[in-house]
Amino acid sequence: MEFWGGFRVWVLTVCLIFQSGYGFYLPGSYPLKHVVGDELSVKVNSITSIDTEMPFSYYSLPFCKPQGGVKDSAENLGEVLMGDRIENSPYLFKMYKNQTDVFLCQTDPLTDDQFKILKERIDEMYQVNLILDNLPAIRYTKKEGYPLRWTGYPVGINLKGSYYVFNHLKFKVLVHKYEETNVASIMGTGDAAGVIPTVSKQELDVPGYMVVGFEVVPCSPLHNVDLVKNLKMYEKYPNPVPCDPASVSMQIKKGQSIVFTYEVTFEESDIKWPSRWDAYLKMEGSKVHWFSILNSLMVITFLAGIVLVIFLRTVRRDLTRYEELDKEAQAQMNEELSGWKLVVGDVFRAPANPALLCIMVGDGVQLLGMGIVTILFAALGFMSPASRGTLITGMLFFYMILGVAAGYVAVRLWRTICCGDHRGWVSVSWKAACFFPGIAFLILTILNFLLWGSQSTGAIPFSLFVILLLLWFCISVPLTLVGGYFGAKAPHIEYPVRTNQIPREIPPQKYPSWLLVLGAGTLPFGTLFIELFFIMSSLWMGRVYYVFGFLFIVLVLLVVICAEVSLVLTYMHLCVEDWKWWWKSFFASGSVALYIFLYSINYLIFDLKSLSGPVSATLYLGYSLFMVLAIMFTTGTVGFLSSFWFVHYLFSSVKLD
């Protein structure tokens, strides 16, 4: 009876989880009810451009400011690191009340500096990003008959050397009737009641609406400056404002002011709250994603066949033959051994720079764990693009927590190489805590100075630098030392064979081993490069990446391929009596990072042709270098650990003196 009672509870829990998945779009968010006439305020984010990759504050341009002054919105760590600066704006709506020809402001006459910077931002194709109820403004256009979607709208346009600014915005807000019953069924009762805003019975009777869409059409009409001299903000412009997106009239000139106006219409929509992000997350190229996965599976199957041949036909056959011989025949066979069996006394000889190898493997385990957990949470919807900054914040959190794993693996591997000697474990764990973060800190600091010099909002503020250093030294480093302590206490992995005092001479090879190591990276890269295009487009072309389910599958396949590649290459080196496999197994799979960096350069030359200026190119290459270093640590660790397990298994199965 207890079993069936527990089973029913489990089934009920699963059903509730699936029910919430169907009815609720994002964990931690809920619909906001707006009664007719409620004030809706539009917020502004940093202006961005795919031509420079440097965000700037919205109010760095001569735009209208709100009456109460500019105020920053509360931002999480990830938003600040991504360069987001969300502030209030003068654009105000009233729920379900259409407004036309609303006067916003008349700027002061443009100074030389303002005119110059406005022209630069127009030439660099900067986009203005507006937000209403957490939804970015979306703009629909057509190109050769095909509909296109854009987030935000351009600052202006350059036509034959004349610069025009978009000074009138036509907003459309899509709303859906508020359905309290759906929210109740989703959220339930009990502890969740503290999360959901309480609504009285009287408020339930009042009809309300939810914002489910936010569209903008920018226009450039020429206003009559004399008509707005006595107008105040939000008063009606005397004449109807023509809004034709196909024509522009408001040319900017030095010493001339700009008049800004807007209009807004509300439209009831069938789009429900859980589906309101679908317009931004339209899945494009799903067949390409599946092709990428199918391609990876074919590579895995091919490599798995080779591994199977090594294990079943070669290794097992040799071991079976050896075990069937009597002692006298074994002694005779020992004299006639060839291939991997000849290096039995050197295969576990300590590699060059063993401490560095242990540190890199420890950091690789930390990065791999962070990647798997982050992508898994993102695939489950906890780090959706709707929750700005949560992806970066989550990555930092998981990276710091997994410092325990980095310290444990680095120190235990160190003790294994040193045959159980635990001396020096504090130094190894300390270096593991500082090695990769130190490289990342150096790269990001150099790039940050470039952003500071450009006065970009992408520059990390000094206060945040201090916070990141405190997180590093007060959380990540102590956790890594704790992991190192447990690694020092854990039993080391004992080698199955003894190591000779005199190292065996490696016979000359027909081809340099590093060439084979570098070539091995092409197979993991072949699995990754299709998905890599979507990731690069998301990072540098301003597109939303959200297919984390596909990314998780690709990551798992990449791990499998890296393990197989490194394992096969290690066996090939042992067969030619090359016992220096430690670093080669690391770089065999880690060399995929080299191909990713070359692909990044190719992407810069052919896909980011419009990237302007040496600063932008330096930022791109700097961030790409940071990314490929993390990939090298991760894939190299997978390759090394799989090879270590294979070599240990191989030589623990044979009894040679």
Side-chain angles (χ1 to χ4, degrees), residues 515-527:
L515 196 62
L516 198 60
V517 169
L518 288 178
T522 55
L523 287 172
F525 178 72
T527 353

Side-chain angles (χ1 to χ4, degrees), residues 607-635:
D607 292 280
L608 293 178
K609 297 177 184 177
S610 57
L611 199 65
S612 58
V615 175
S616 300
T618 305
L619 287 171
Y620 173 84
L621 292 174
Y623 287 126
S624 297
L625 179 63
F626 170 66
M627 179 180 71
V628 299
L629 283 174
I631 291 171
M632 185 193 72
F633 276 66
T634 305
T635 53

